[in-house]
Amino acid sequence: MFGVPDPKKLWRRYVVALGLIFLFLMGSHLSAVLTISGTHSTASDIDNSGRQRMLSQRILYFATEHAKAQDNAFAEDLTAAIDSFETAHIGLLIASNRSDDLKEIYFSDDESIAVNTLSINYIKDARSVLERSPQAADALARMQEVGPYHLLQRLNTAVQEFENYAQKKVDELSFLQSLSIASAVIILFLEALFIFWPAHKITISTLLKLEKKQSELEKAHTDAVDRNKELEETRSHLHHESRHDALTGLANRRYLDTELSARAEELSSSGGKLALLHIDLDRFKQINDSLGHAAGDHVLEHVASVLRKVVSGDDFVARVGGDEFVIACSGEASTEKLSGISRELIYELSKPIKFGDSLCHFGASIGIGIAQAEGLQIDPDKLMVNADIALYRAKEQGRGCHVFFTPDMQQQVDEGKKITDNIREALNNGDFIPYYQPQFDTETMELAGAEVLVRWQSEEGLLEPEKFLPVAEVIGAIPDIDRVMLEQAANDFGQWRDQGLTVPLISVNVSAKRLHHPDFITSLRYCTIPPENLVLELVESIFFEQQDEQFFKILDEVKRLGIATEIDDFGTGHSSIVSLSKISPNGLKIDQQIIEPIADDASARELLKAILDIANSMGITAVAEGVETEAQVRVLKDYGCQRLQGFWLGKPMPADEFFAFVTSYSGSKAA
Ligand code: C2E
Ligand code: MG
Ligand code: MG
């Protein structure tokens, strides 16, 4: 009941309160009107009864004087007094109804004191005197006896009683007043209790709720502001991260692109040069492979700090790839300044750095592109390509140097691009064909096998591998070339066999990319050359690649298929005794560079002997490549090299020529 009412239902209480106040007002108004009107008539009763006393004495006086007088000089006054007395008496008789005491005074059983009886008799006697009736003298005598005493006394009593009655009414009125004040107080109290207090409680609870809501809102606002701040921080952090390399903190490729576009735009109006130094680390891969990625990261961080130290104020440094960095210089960008920066960088980056107990040896090659904003806006992409071409050239020149881009480099690149397009087309058109170079058994000089060597029948004539293999390597076309060579060799092998010629061994060159190609093993499994007639020559690129678990798994698979492997170009480049023992091939091909001097140079023969000893000790076949003279053949025969390949014995030739060559060779040998 005293709880907080439903604020929406509070109006009902207000209606009840208003109704109560209305009823109370109406009630107290009505009772006041009634009481006042009662009091009003009571006042006139007092007045009348007072006048009645005075009239009773006036009647006595006029009656006495009338009786004494011979004429009727007082008759009129007496009559008027009697009439007034009678009229008032009738009113007072009605008024005597107001209380029992008044009734007793007017209508007492004892007629000697009943004012009504006394008054009626008094008037009767007065009329008797007025009319000078025979009994007038008695009547006057009775009047003189009753008038000043009994009647006057009783009339006094009546006045007194009317006054008492009036006093009673006044008391009642003041009681009513008190009652209405008390009622008003009670109603106010009840209203306070049932309406204003709940309303107050509602107001308070609403206020509290509002305060709570306000503090919640304030908190929400503060939270929102905090969250906004956090978001803003995260956004700027993300913005920074999206434009910087996480490891070195240098700008990343994307940021570099934006920066170059901005500088190109600026230079287009102000003029000046924009130069890019494209820096590539030498031997970085080896550090990663041999010492792990932590060492690689350490080197990259070191390089970043060197770059920061070497560049000047306005230069912009970015890391654009694993071990590639770019410095953008705008403004003067003279070749002297750029050469100076490059030399300093190459010098600083050639110093080995420590990582744990190991020393990391690396270096840097730098390609530089410069563009002058002359009328036309500099094209940052083109400039980047130029710096990249120059870098490629720096690497070709033996690394650890810097090279400026020149327009003729572009020409070479364009040619390279043309070759690239042509290689793709040639692969589609079947323009890569196999040439076969015979191999002979040193003891019997019988045909021992043939190496499959790719040739390109291009519009410019027949191209040898050195013309297109480097480009094919770059564009990743070598695996396709290897695949095509194996397919065509298998085809030729089948045709020769159909014609009665079985070539004992068909050696195909296999690049690292081909070896790792997903369909390599499948292609060997379905190759129509029997495994015992097939040899895979592992070319130099294989030894550049990491010889990981996968590599040895593939080799195992090849061995399981019964296909022989030979290490190509042994004694030079990257094929080593270590890899020989790890790979355990079926044979090795001694490089032409070792064969070439053996006829004339004793120490060359020593080297040859050492290699042959290794092969013998491992129980594998040795093949000599690039045999160009009979003297070389003799030495190789003496030293026990099992197979020979070279121009002196037979140059690489197309399939039909090879068939003819072998048939006529066998014939001549037989003859
Ligand atoms: P390679 O596998 O060592 O091939 C032997 C190279 O020596 C051939 O050059 C051959 O023509 C040349 N040669 C043979 N005898 C003599 C000689 O007496 N004197 C001289 N001066 N050279 C001789 P070619 O055909 O130009 O091949 C060069 C290299 O290209 C090959 O060296 C091989 O590494 C690669 N290659 C050729 N064909 C393929 C192929 O189909 N796939 C792959 N991956 N590489 C191939
Ligand atoms: Mg070869
Ligand atoms: Mg070779």
Side-chain angles (χ1 to χ4, degrees):
M1 169 173 165
F2 299 112
V4 178
D6 182 353
K8 287 181 189 153
K9 292 179 182 163
L10 199 63
W11 65 271
R12 293 182 189 172
R13 299 193 183 204
Y14 282 118
V15 169
V16 172
L18 280 174
L20 279 173
I21 290 170
F22 178 74
L23 285 177
F24 168 73
L25 282 176
M26 289 310 290
S28 59
H29 174 73
L30 204 66
S31 66
V33 166
L34 284 174
T35 313
I36 287 165
S37 73
T39 316
H40 185 71
S41 51
T42 311
S44 78
D45 290 345
I46 292 169
D47 195 32
N48 282 346
S49 68
R51 267 187 74 217
Q52 206 69 331
R53 274 188 321 190
M54 183 272 289
L55 285 171
S56 70
Q57 298 314 302
R58 188 182 283 183
I59 290 169
L60 181 59
Y61 169 72
F62 286 130
T64 307
E65 290 304 313
H66 180 69
K68 275 194 244 167
Q70 297 302 312
D71 56 12
N72 285 332
F74 292 95
E76 200 177 327
D77 290 334
L78 181 58
T79 306
I82 290 168
D83 288 347
S84 295
F85 188 90
E86 271 184 340
T87 309
H89 181 67
I90 290 164
L92 288 169
L93 281 183
I94 294 165
S96 70
N97 242 346
R98 298 196 203 286
S99 76
D100 289 343
D101 288 342
L102 281 169
K103 274 188 207 156
E104 180 60 30
I105 291 168
Y106 274 85
F107 300 103
S108 174
D109 292 340
D110 181 359
E111 289 196 336
S112 64
I113 56 168
V115 172
N116 184 34
T117 314
L118 287 170
S119 297
I120 290 169
N121 291 338
Y122 194 61
I123 292 300
K124 209 193 279 173
D125 287 339
R127 285 206 185 275
S128 191
V129 173
L130 177 67
E131 288 159 8
R132 298 184 195 281
S133 68
Q135 296 89 16
D138 292 343
L140 184 63
R142 275 199 303 275
M143 281 177 73
Q144 283 169 339
E145 191 193 326
V146 172
Y149 306 105
H150 270 74
L151 183 62
L152 192 62
Q153 199 184 351
R154 290 306 284 168
L155 283 174
N156 272 342
T157 310
V159 170
Q160 187 63 49
E161 196 48 48
F162 273 116
E163 281 176 355
N164 286 348
Y165 178 75
Q167 186 57 49
K168 218 170 116 195
K169 282 286 157 194
V170 168
D171 289 348
E172 274 177 16
L173 192 61
S174 52
F175 173 73
L176 262 178
Q177 265 183 340
S178 307
L179 192 69
S180 66
I181 286 172
S183 308
V185 168
I186 288 167
I187 285 175
L188 281 176
F189 175 74
L190 290 176
E191 284 184 352
L193 195 64
F194 295 109
I195 296 161
F196 299 129
W197 177 244
H200 164 74
K201 283 177 89 171
I202 287 173
T203 312
I204 293 292
S205 82
T206 311
L207 271 177
L208 287 175
K209 275 183 197 161
L210 280 174
E211 275 174 10
K212 205 173 147 205
K213 271 267 131 49
Q214 189 184 356
S215 71
E216 276 173 11
L217 277 174
E218 277 170 1
K219 193 174 171 301
H221 174 72
T222 326
D223 286 355
V225 169
D226 289 352
R227 209 153 306 134
N228 251 356
K229 221 172 116 192
E230 264 173 42
L231 277 175
E232 189 48 44
E233 279 169 13
T234 315
R235 200 192 64 75
S236 73
H237 181 67
L238 283 177
H239 180 65
H240 183 270
E241 273 198 348
S242 71
R243 286 153 49 105
H244 289 84
D245 164 45
L247 177 68
T248 60
L250 293 177
N252 61 15
R253 180 76 198 221
R254 192 187 327 166
Y255 191 8
L256 175 71
D257 289 346
T258 323
E259 180 68 21
L260 290 182
S261 301
R263 289 193 180 208
E265 177 88 43
E266 197 186 311
L267 288 170
S268 67
S269 53
S270 66
K273 287 178 187 166
L274 180 60
L276 292 187
L277 281 78
H278 193 171
I279 302 145
D280 186 271
L281 299 186
D282 303 329
R283 293 180 296 281
F284 179 71
K285 189 173 174 342
Q286 282 93 318
I287 293 172
N288 250 350
D289 292 347
S290 56
L291 298 174
H293 286 275
D297 287 353
H298 180 63
V299 168
L300 292 172
E301 282 169 325
H302 168 74
V303 172
S305 74
V306 170
L307 294 186
R308 281 197 189 96
K309 209 169 66 193
V310 168
V311 299
S312 50
D314 194 33
D315 298 343
F316 188 85
V317 189
R319 182 181 171 209
V320 293
D323 60 349
E324 289 178 46
F325 299 83
V326 166
I327 297 175
C329 312
S330 47
E332 194 203 330
S334 66
T335 46
E336 292 75 31
K337 180 192 160 186
L338 297 170
S339 286
I341 294 176
S342 301
R343 271 193 290 272
E344 193 180 346
L345 276 175
I346 290 166
Y347 173 71
E348 288 295 330
L349 296 178
S350 68
K351 294 177 186 168
I353 59 163
K354 273 197 95 170
F355 178 72
D357 295 333
S358 315
L359 265 186
C360 304
H361 293 269
F362 56 98
S365 306
I366 302 176
I368 306 165
I370 307 174
Q372 173 81 49
E374 284 167 327
L376 281 172
Q377 187 171 315
I378 293 167
D379 177 356
D381 291 340
K382 176 102 188 34
L383 187 56
M384 196 74 203
V385 170
N386 291 353
D388 201 44
I389 292 168
L391 172 65
Y392 189 75
R393 187 57 61 90
K395 284 183 183 176
E396 272 183 350
Q397 288 181 10
R399 301 162 192 263
C401 60
H402 71 277
V403 169
F404 282 94
F405 173 81
T406 54
D408 62 299
M409 286 182 196
Q410 182 64 53
Q411 202 182 329
Q412 285 164 20
V413 169
D414 292 345
E415 278 168 15
K417 188 174 176 311
K418 209 172 140 207
I419 294 175
T420 303
D421 295 343
N422 291 345
I423 287 174
R424 295 258 171 244
E425 213 182 303
L427 268 169
N428 289 336
N429 298 345
D431 290 341
F432 289 110
I433 55 159
Y435 265 45
Y436 297 92
Q437 187 175 25
Q439 294 176 353
F440 296 90
D441 184 293
T442 321
E443 278 301 315
T444 60
M445 290 308 273
E446 299 271 349
L447 179 78
E451 180 176 5
V452 183
L453 295 159
V454 66
R455 295 292 181 268
W456 180 2
Q457 280 179 318
S458 76
E459 285 168 2
E460 296 141 38
L462 194 71
L463 299 182
E464 302 218 327
E466 64 165 9
K467 285 272 192 299
F468 58 87
L469 278 192
V471 186
E473 166 88 55
V474 172
I475 65 165
I478 292 204
D480 289 328
I481 293 175
D482 285 359
R483 179 180 48 78
V484 168
M485 286 304 105
L486 180 65
E487 284 168 6
Q488 296 204 22
N491 203 23
D492 291 338
F493 181 87
Q495 284 191 15
W496 295 329
R497 197 175 44 191
D498 292 347
Q499 294 170 55
L501 168 69
T502 299
V503 181
L505 293 172
I506 294 286
S507 300
V508 292
N509 291 285
V510 175
S511 64
K513 293 248 166 58
R514 178 63 191 154
L515 192 90
H516 284 95
H517 199 276
D519 77 3
F520 177 58
I521 294 294
T522 318
S523 71
L524 292 180
R525 202 169 279 145
Y526 293 104
C527 179
T528 50
I529 302 172
E532 62 274 16
N533 298 114
L534 190 59
V535 176
L536 304 183
E537 286 190 20
L538 307 179
V539 302
E540 197 181 32
S541 67
I542 283 178
F543 304 97
F544 277 125
E545 299 289 321
Q546 203 177 359
Q547 291 163 18
D548 56 10
E549 213 181 304
Q550 181 65 11
F551 171 78
F552 289 106
K553 254 169 92 177
I554 296 166
L555 270 192
D556 283 350
E557 199 64 41
V558 170
K559 282 175 191 164
R560 241 198 306 277
L561 288 172
I563 297 168
T565 53
E566 285 175 3
I567 291 185
D568 207 352
D569 306 331
F570 188 80
T572 61
H574 287 261
S575 55
S576 64
I577 296 171
V578 178
S579 50
L580 192 67
S581 70
K582 280 207 282 186
I583 293 170
S584 65
N586 301 82
L588 54 83
K589 292 186 79 176
I590 306 165
D591 194 81
Q592 193 195 358
Q593 288 178 53
I594 290 167
I595 302 299
E596 202 240 302
I598 54 169
D600 316 310
D601 188 342
S603 62
R605 282 196 293 276
E606 283 301 303
L607 180 59
L608 173 70
K609 191 176 176 307
I611 293 171
L612 289 172
D613 283 348
I614 292 167
N616 278 336
S617 70
M618 291 182 75
I620 60 175
T621 314
V623 187
E625 306 193 274
V627 181
E628 289 184 331
T629 63
E630 196 180 353
Q632 288 168 343
V633 176
R634 264 199 303 275
V635 175
L636 289 162
K637 206 168 184 171
D638 289 347
Y639 280 70
C641 178
Q642 286 96 336
R643 265 177 17 233
L644 307 175
Q645 177 182 347
F647 288 175
W648 192 76
L649 298 150
K651 287 194 169 184
M653 53 196 108
D656 49 351
E657 240 178 70
F658 179 77
F659 181 76
F661 171 84
V662 174
T663 343
S664 70
Y665 178 79
S666 310
S668 68
K669 214 174 169 285

